[in-house]
Amino acid sequence: MAYVAVKGGEQAILNSHRLIAEDRRGDTSVPELTVRQISEQMGLAVERVMCEGSVYDRELAALALKQAQGDTVEAIFLLRAYRTTMPRFAVANALDTDRMVIHRRVSATFKDIPGGQVLGSTYEYTHRLLDFDLLEPAADAKANLADRSLESGVGRAFDSISDEGLIEVENAQAGQQAVFDLTREPLSLPAGRDQRLQNLARGDEGFVVGLAYSALRGYGAAHPYVGETRVGDVAVEIVPEELGFAVSIGDIAVTECQMLDLFGGSEHRPAQFTRGYGLSFGKSERKAMGMAIVDRSLRCRELGEEARYPVQDEEFVLAHTDNLEAAGFVSHLTLPHYVDFQADLQFIRQLRQGASGNSVEKEAE
């Protein structure tokens, strides 16, 4: 009987795979969606999969989305699984976002900033009305673009008050210890900021933004300003052992956000604006902003602030950001739990019998 059950289960699984392929294809009278089309026309979904899947490859991310029928969490799972098969041949230098070729750049702290505000491509100024013209192919709209993107070396929006010491200075320390690698080492607490930022970068966008929202609503006492958000291309550089100097191996698109949050000062720090930081692959502005708010919230102990809310509890935050772990734990409930349920059922019966017996004894008294 056990052997028959196992064989039956295998056949059911194979049939399930066939059903997935059938559902994925949909109506065969409709042209099949290509990976190139997904990459070019579903760019924001592709960039989310790259960011949370920790692989910068548009084609692979688009393939994962096609295979997962647009389910971003499943696509992220596929991409991360593929990532484990790839060799690591080098560790890149830290990205120099000061040298970013900028496509979008905004600041909520100053109206006039060095290089100017660059709106770029954004949904912020759309009416959020369904565009029924998109139901049918139409002539592509062309924007009137500047001659070129803002080149590297454009100053930060808040440089003018940074010089006054009114904004926290953050500089990489020469000779600092190696950066924690969350893809190869398990989460450890208490976590350094490098570990926290990696966790948030790979974390589920919805959860990270939800945590940021909780901080803004008062469960975290955050009242930040967007010091600057940048979207653009930065060079990835490595230092080959045989050369001994940095060489560029290509450019990647990233979104960077620096939040400024009011800090009243402490025994060791003057009153100033402190920073929260977010960086993500591609054009992922909502993720980078949410990440920056949560990063600042998690710095509460470092700044001598009392940790009172969930967004300030690093164990709560860091243990629950990963969408694959969350989805896996929820989804595993569909697997057989017959023995567990029978045990709990028997336990409930015993409790009810005990309660019934106690009632009879009270009535007899």
Side-chain angles (χ1 to χ4, degrees), residues 86-122:
M86 303 302 292
R88 175 175 297 191
F89 63 88
V91 176
N93 292 340
L95 297 179
D96 186 354
T97 54
D98 285 342
R99 294 163 51 195
M100 179 186 293
V101 176
I102 296 171
H103 303 306
R104 170 167 160 78
R105 174 175 179 259
V106 294
S107 171
T109 54
F110 298 98
K111 180 179 180 181
D112 298 314
I113 56 178
Q117 306 268 9
V118 181
L119 294 186
S121 170
T122 177

Side-chain angles (χ1 to χ4, degrees), residues 292-311:
I293 295 170
V294 177
D295 169 54
R296 173 57 183 85
S297 298
L298 290 175
R299 298 183 62 205
C300 58
R301 290 185 177 85
E302 168 196 336
L303 297 170
E305 299 169 336
E306 182 183 1
R308 300 169 54 196
Y309 305 106
V311 70

Side-chain angles (χ1 to χ4, degrees), residues 59-99:
E59 183 179 44
L60 292 179
L63 172 61
L65 276 168
K66 179 177 180 178
Q67 184 174 334
Q69 297 175 260
D71 183 338
T72 53
V73 175
E74 179 67 20
I76 291 162
F77 200 155
L78 292 169
L79 198 58
R80 280 203 203 171
Y82 179 78
R83 184 185 190 278
T84 64
T85 69
M86 303 302 292
R88 175 175 297 191
F89 63 88
V91 176
N93 292 340
L95 297 179
D96 186 354
T97 54
D98 285 342
R99 294 163 51 195

Side-chain angles (χ1 to χ4, degrees), residues 349-365:
R349 285 171 176 157
Q350 291 174 354
L351 290 177
R352 290 171 65 93
Q353 289 173 359
S356 176
N358 291 336
S359 298
V360 171
E361 290 178 2
K362 288 182 180 180
E363 290 178 2
E365 291 175 359

